[in-house]
């Protein structure tokens, strides 16, 4: 599992709209090329997003291959 922590400010605004959008989108997407959002936890003025663990993120993958992605790879990712 991977954890993303969103610290909520001590204001009356509640959860930021960007976080709500992210959660809403990720809850609705089930695709092998998109990391899965497993759970959302609110605790102690923090919002925790629990994701499936991925061995590589895009930045690490690009470092591994040594440069920009070939157009054929980008096309596969987008498909």
């Amino acid at each position: 599992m991977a954890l993303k922590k969103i610290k909520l400010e001590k204001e009356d605004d509640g959860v930021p709209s960007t976080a709500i959008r992210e959660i809403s989108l990720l809850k609705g997407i089930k695709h092998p090329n998109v990391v899965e959002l497993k759970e959302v936890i609110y605790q102690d003025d923090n919002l925790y997003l629990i994701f499936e663990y991925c061995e590589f993120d895009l930045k690490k993958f690009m470092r591994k291959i040594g440069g920009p992605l070939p157009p054929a790879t980008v096309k596969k990712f987008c498909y």
Side-chain angles (χ1 to χ4, degrees):
M1 298 293 167
L3 180 75
K4 179 177 182 178
K5 177 182 174 184
I6 301 172
K7 182 152 179 66
L8 303 176
E9 300 297 324
K10 300 245 183 197
E11 297 177 7
D12 293 331
D13 293 344
V15 178
S17 61
T18 54
I20 293 171
R21 251 183 274 132
E22 180 178 1
I23 293 165
S24 177
L25 287 170
L26 288 170
K27 282 285 192 181
I29 297 174
K30 301 293 181 218
H31 190 278
N33 293 339
V34 178
V35 66
E36 182 182 351
L37 176 62
K38 298 284 192 177
E39 194 168 343
V40 179
I41 299 171
Y42 174 76
Q43 181 179 3
D44 301 326
D45 293 322
N46 293 304
L47 191 62
Y48 299 94
L49 306 183
I50 314 298
F51 293 94
E52 70 176 306
Y53 178 76
C54 293
E55 193 72 29
F56 286 96
D57 62 16
L58 184 57
K59 188 174 181 180
K60 287 181 186 176
F61 180 76
M62 290 176 69
R63 272 196 223 130
K64 182 181 177 187
I65 64 169
L69 298 175
T73 304
V74 173
K75 186 176 179 180
K76 285 180 188 177
F77 285 167
C78 291
Y79 179 73

